Amino acid sequence: MPLVTSAEMFKKAYDGGYAIGAFNVNNMEIVQGITEAARDLSAPLILQVSKGARAYANHTYLVKLVEAAVIECPNIPIVLHLDHGPDFETCKSCIDGGFTSVMIDASSKPFAENIAITKQVVEYAHDHGVVVEAELGALAGIEDDVKVSAEESHYTHPEEVEEFVSKTGCDSLAIAIGTSHGAYKFTADQCTRNEKGELVPPPLRFDILEEVSKRLPGFPIVLHGSSSVPQEYVKMVNENGGKMPDAVGIPEEQLRKAAALSVCKINIDSDLRLAMTGTIRKFFNEHPDKFDPREYLKPARAAIKELVAHKIVDVLGCDHKA
Ligand code: G3H
Ligand code: 13P
Ligand code: ZN
């Protein structure tokens, strides 16, 4: 089947109490690892491309890699989505260039300006059969070249969501309830420690999610910054020459709970980076004489596949929903 929009996927996910995984893609091995997992589990899928990914790999290469995955995985619906579109021009370029979904992220702008930019993107996108994700609230962390400090970040104000959605016409809404981008989501002093001495982050603000859902019944909500930073991969990185002290993410049970509520799209990128980097570091540590990229990218691709399969089954609950 050709690339699809997320409209039908989100409706089924909302009604079925699960979420669609939105995984960031930057090269062929990442595309293959993710799509092979989704294909084997008959899971609907969103592949997303950031501004940084387009700068790194080139728009056309990424679109063609995703089109290849569509051919290789005829049993599952796949969306090609722009992640964190910074402005109208970037969204337009992706809409004109084959994407079926775009995010306009004007969340750092004042409310009225966020509405105006989002509305402009929605009008152009809808005229071209493309859906739009927007954002209200500001997540801490780094996206492309934008760094939002913990002090600048703020939760979504539920009292703003109805006006925002009705004035912009956006198709889904990313909200801030305590997730953040990157592998260092919380400082050690924001966390407590469990009996094993591991950092335990503060819980997500489910009260905000519930209030938003009450105000927007049936409307798909998106969570960014939803990597869980698996400690096995942090350990693998650190035991093989890396240095990632106190990296900590969002506990998977909390994401599963969000997926059963109104959250229909969960964004995961850092976990894939960790799996790939940990695997490659281990490979080089164990095989200092090897230099064929196929030899170290093969286990890295397999690690991504295994991780995505785990997310699909245990976190998103979207296996066998295609
Ligand atoms: O939220 C941002 C994603 O993790 C993409 O990261 O901008 O480094 O490609 P990137
Ligand atoms: P993570 O950094 O938690 O993987 O978040 C990714 C994301 O939100 C992409 O938009
Ligand atoms: Zn994001």
Side-chain angles (χ1 to χ4, degrees), residues 5-148:
T5 76
S6 48
E8 197 187 328
M9 256 182 215
F10 284 169
K11 197 183 170 333
K12 287 188 186 164
Y14 197 102
D15 294 343
Y18 61 91
I20 313 296
F23 300 99
N24 288 70
V25 296
N26 294 279
N27 67 18
M28 183 186 75
E29 287 75 13
I30 297 174
V31 171
Q32 289 175 329
I34 297 166
T35 54
E36 284 172 18
R39 182 198 60 200
D40 292 357
L41 288 162
S42 293
L45 184 63
I46 299 172
L47 295 176
Q48 55 186 17
V49 166
S50 68
K51 176 182 161 200
R54 290 175 92 222
Y56 170 74
N58 168 306
H59 175 96
T60 310
Y61 277 95
L62 290 167
V63 170
K64 294 298 165 192
L65 283 172
V66 171
E67 284 175 2
V70 166
I71 293 168
E72 292 296 321
C73 306
N75 61 323
I76 56 167
I78 299 179
V79 174
L80 175 54
H81 174 77
L82 168 66
D83 189 27
H84 293 287
D87 47 40
F88 175 79
E89 287 67 34
T90 308
C91 293
K92 180 178 182 302
S93 160
C94 289
I95 293 164
D96 295 344
F99 283 46
T100 52
S101 173
V102 293
M103 175 189 193
I104 172 69
D105 182 358
S107 60
S108 60
K109 305 269 195 300
F111 185 64
E113 214 179 313
N114 188 354
I115 290 180
I117 299 169
T118 302
K119 190 167 183 286
Q120 188 193 10
V121 172
V122 168
E123 279 166 7
Y124 189 79
H126 286 183
D127 276 351
H128 293 78
V130 169
V131 292
V132 179
E133 173 186 328
E135 179 167 332
L136 262 184
L139 273 68
I142 303 170
E143 307 146 15
D144 280 318
D145 38 12
V146 181
K147 185 174 189 314
V148 180

Side-chain angles (χ1 to χ4, degrees), residues 10 14 19 161 165 171-175 177 209 212-213 216 218-223 258 261-266:
F10 284 169
Y14 197 102
V161 299
V165 169
D171 301 281
S172 60
L173 184 67
I175 62 168
I177 58 166
L209 175 60
V212 167
S213 318
L216 296 174
F219 194 80
I221 301 301
V222 178
L223 283 190
L261 300 170
S262 55
V263 170
C264 294
K265 173 174 180 272
I266 292 189

Side-chain angles (χ1 to χ4, degrees), residues 148-322:
V148 180
S149 69
E151 298 75 52
E152 291 163 319
S153 70
H154 59 86
Y155 297 121
T156 302
H157 304 302
E159 61 279 11
E160 291 180 347
V161 299
E162 294 133 299
E163 182 184 350
F164 185 84
V165 169
S166 69
K167 285 196 171 156
T168 62
C170 67
D171 301 281
S172 60
L173 184 67
I175 62 168
I177 58 166
T179 61
S180 64
H181 291 103
Y184 300 94
K185 298 192 187 300
F186 305 96
T187 59
D189 45 299
Q190 289 174 309
C191 300
T192 52
R193 289 200 185 261
N194 65 16
E195 61 289 351
K196 285 192 246 161
E198 295 161 342
L199 292 172
V200 179
L204 295 180
R205 291 287 305 271
F206 280 97
D207 56 323
I208 298 179
L209 175 60
E210 277 159 22
E211 184 58 33
V212 167
S213 318
K214 221 183 282 169
R215 288 168 180 266
L216 296 174
F219 194 80
I221 301 301
V222 178
L223 283 190
H224 281 248
S226 297
S227 276
S228 297
V229 188
Q231 293 302 299
E232 75 205 81
Y233 284 120
V234 175
K235 195 160 170 261
M236 196 184 284
V237 167
N238 290 335
E239 284 177 355
N240 290 283
K243 203 170 180 188
M244 297 189 70
D246 289 344
V248 64
I250 310 297
E252 289 187 338
E253 343 45 278
Q254 292 189 35
L255 297 168
R256 184 69 201 95
K257 181 174 163 190
L261 300 170
S262 55
V263 170
C264 294
K265 173 174 180 272
I266 292 189
N267 286 12
I268 298 171
D269 183 13
S270 299
D271 284 356
L272 306 189
R273 296 179 182 195
L274 268 172
M276 191 162 202
T277 302
T279 307
I280 292 173
R281 278 192 177 279
K282 183 166 181 278
F283 181 92
F284 281 133
N285 213 6
E286 290 171 358
H287 307 281
D289 55 323
K290 303 267 191 194
F291 68 100
D292 182 341
R294 293 170 300 186
E295 289 190 78
Y296 58 84
L297 289 173
K298 199 172 169 185
R301 180 175 60 191
I304 288 181
K305 182 176 176 182
E306 190 188 3
L307 182 68
V308 169
H310 160 66
K311 298 283 182 186
I312 285 172
V313 173
D314 301 315
V315 179
L316 303 154
C318 68
D319 52 306
H320 302 100
K321 300 292 196 297

